[in-house]
Short mmCIF file of all heavy atoms in Angstrom, two decimals:
data_model
loop_
_atom_site.label_atom_id
_atom_site.label_comp_id
_atom_site.label_asym_id
_atom_site.label_seq_id
_atom_site.Cartn_x
_atom_site.Cartn_y
_atom_site.Cartn_z
N ARG A 346 -73.54 -56.95 -58.22
CA ARG A 346 -72.12 -56.74 -58.53
C ARG A 346 -71.81 -57.17 -59.95
O ARG A 346 -71.07 -56.51 -60.68
CB ARG A 346 -71.26 -57.53 -57.54
CG ARG A 346 -69.99 -56.77 -57.20
CD ARG A 346 -69.10 -57.48 -56.24
NE ARG A 346 -69.79 -58.20 -55.19
CZ ARG A 346 -69.51 -59.45 -54.82
NH1 ARG A 346 -68.56 -60.12 -55.43
NH2 ARG A 346 -70.18 -60.03 -53.86
N LYS A 347 -72.41 -58.30 -60.29
CA LYS A 347 -72.15 -58.81 -61.64
C LYS A 347 -72.69 -57.85 -62.68
O LYS A 347 -72.05 -57.60 -63.71
CB LYS A 347 -72.82 -60.18 -61.81
CG LYS A 347 -72.11 -61.30 -61.08
CD LYS A 347 -71.72 -62.41 -62.02
CE LYS A 347 -70.69 -63.31 -61.41
NZ LYS A 347 -71.24 -64.25 -60.45
N MET A 348 -73.86 -57.34 -62.36
CA MET A 348 -74.47 -56.40 -63.30
C MET A 348 -73.61 -55.17 -63.48
O MET A 348 -73.47 -54.64 -64.57
CB MET A 348 -75.86 -55.97 -62.79
CG MET A 348 -76.86 -57.07 -62.72
SD MET A 348 -77.33 -57.64 -64.33
CE MET A 348 -78.62 -56.52 -64.71
N LYS A 349 -73.00 -54.75 -62.37
CA LYS A 349 -72.23 -53.51 -62.44
C LYS A 349 -70.90 -53.69 -63.15
O LYS A 349 -70.30 -52.73 -63.59
CB LYS A 349 -71.94 -53.00 -61.00
CG LYS A 349 -73.12 -52.36 -60.37
CD LYS A 349 -72.72 -51.45 -59.23
CE LYS A 349 -73.84 -51.47 -58.18
NZ LYS A 349 -73.35 -51.73 -56.86
N SER A 350 -70.46 -54.93 -63.24
CA SER A 350 -69.12 -55.13 -63.81
C SER A 350 -69.14 -54.82 -65.30
O SER A 350 -70.17 -54.79 -65.95
CB SER A 350 -68.68 -56.58 -63.59
OG SER A 350 -69.44 -57.42 -64.42
N LYS A 351 -67.93 -54.68 -65.83
CA LYS A 351 -67.83 -54.23 -67.22
C LYS A 351 -68.25 -55.30 -68.18
O LYS A 351 -68.61 -55.05 -69.30
CB LYS A 351 -66.38 -53.83 -67.49
CG LYS A 351 -66.01 -52.59 -66.78
CD LYS A 351 -64.81 -51.93 -67.43
CE LYS A 351 -64.32 -50.84 -66.50
NZ LYS A 351 -62.95 -51.03 -66.04
N LYS A 352 -68.14 -56.50 -67.71
CA LYS A 352 -68.40 -57.61 -68.63
C LYS A 352 -69.88 -57.79 -68.89
O LYS A 352 -70.27 -58.50 -69.79
CB LYS A 352 -67.86 -58.90 -68.01
CG LYS A 352 -66.39 -59.10 -68.22
CD LYS A 352 -66.10 -60.57 -68.44
CE LYS A 352 -64.74 -60.92 -67.88
NZ LYS A 352 -64.73 -62.18 -67.21
N MET A 353 -70.69 -57.23 -68.02
CA MET A 353 -72.11 -57.52 -68.07
C MET A 353 -72.76 -57.27 -69.43
O MET A 353 -73.42 -58.13 -69.96
CB MET A 353 -72.83 -56.72 -66.97
CG MET A 353 -73.46 -57.56 -65.87
SD MET A 353 -73.22 -59.30 -65.97
CE MET A 353 -74.81 -59.85 -66.39
N PRO A 354 -72.58 -56.09 -69.98
CA PRO A 354 -73.28 -55.81 -71.26
C PRO A 354 -72.95 -56.85 -72.33
O PRO A 354 -73.82 -57.26 -73.09
CB PRO A 354 -72.77 -54.43 -71.66
CG PRO A 354 -72.30 -53.82 -70.40
CD PRO A 354 -71.85 -54.91 -69.52
N THR A 355 -71.68 -57.27 -72.35
CA THR A 355 -71.33 -58.27 -73.38
C THR A 355 -72.13 -59.54 -73.18
O THR A 355 -72.58 -60.16 -74.12
CB THR A 355 -69.83 -58.63 -73.29
OG1 THR A 355 -69.55 -58.97 -71.95
CG2 THR A 355 -68.96 -57.48 -73.72
N VAL A 356 -72.30 -59.88 -71.93
CA VAL A 356 -73.06 -61.10 -71.64
C VAL A 356 -74.55 -60.89 -71.95
O VAL A 356 -75.20 -61.72 -72.56
CB VAL A 356 -72.88 -61.51 -70.16
CG1 VAL A 356 -73.76 -62.70 -69.82
CG2 VAL A 356 -71.43 -61.86 -69.90
N LEU A 357 -75.00 -59.74 -71.49
CA LEU A 357 -76.43 -59.46 -71.70
C LEU A 357 -76.80 -59.45 -73.17
O LEU A 357 -77.86 -59.92 -73.56
CB LEU A 357 -76.79 -58.09 -71.09
CG LEU A 357 -77.14 -58.08 -69.60
CD1 LEU A 357 -77.39 -56.67 -69.16
CD2 LEU A 357 -78.36 -58.93 -69.34
N ASN A 358 -75.88 -58.90 -73.95
CA ASN A 358 -76.19 -58.81 -75.38
C ASN A 358 -76.30 -60.16 -76.04
O ASN A 358 -76.86 -60.29 -77.12
CB ASN A 358 -75.12 -58.00 -76.10
CG ASN A 358 -75.25 -56.54 -75.73
OD1 ASN A 358 -76.31 -56.12 -75.29
ND2 ASN A 358 -74.19 -55.79 -75.94
N ARG A 359 -75.78 -61.13 -75.35
CA ARG A 359 -75.71 -62.45 -76.01
C ARG A 359 -77.04 -63.16 -76.02
O ARG A 359 -77.32 -63.94 -76.92
CB ARG A 359 -74.70 -63.34 -75.29
CG ARG A 359 -73.29 -62.90 -75.53
CD ARG A 359 -72.49 -64.02 -76.18
NE ARG A 359 -71.11 -63.55 -76.28
CZ ARG A 359 -70.18 -63.85 -75.39
NH1 ARG A 359 -70.47 -64.63 -74.36
NH2 ARG A 359 -68.97 -63.36 -75.53
N PHE A 360 -77.85 -62.94 -75.00
CA PHE A 360 -79.11 -63.68 -75.02
C PHE A 360 -80.29 -62.77 -74.84
O PHE A 360 -80.17 -61.64 -74.37
CB PHE A 360 -79.12 -64.82 -73.99
CG PHE A 360 -78.95 -64.36 -72.59
CD1 PHE A 360 -80.02 -63.98 -71.81
CD2 PHE A 360 -77.68 -64.33 -72.02
CE1 PHE A 360 -79.85 -63.58 -70.51
CE2 PHE A 360 -77.53 -63.93 -70.72
CZ PHE A 360 -78.59 -63.55 -69.97
#
Side-chain angles (χ1 to χ4, degrees):
Chain A
R346 216 180 322 133
K347 286 237 163 78
M348 295 292 273
K349 284 201 211 130
S350 71
K351 289 201 192 119
K352 277 216 212 140
M353 246 2 251
T355 52
V356 175
L357 274 177
N358 288 340
R359 289 239 185 96
F360 60 88

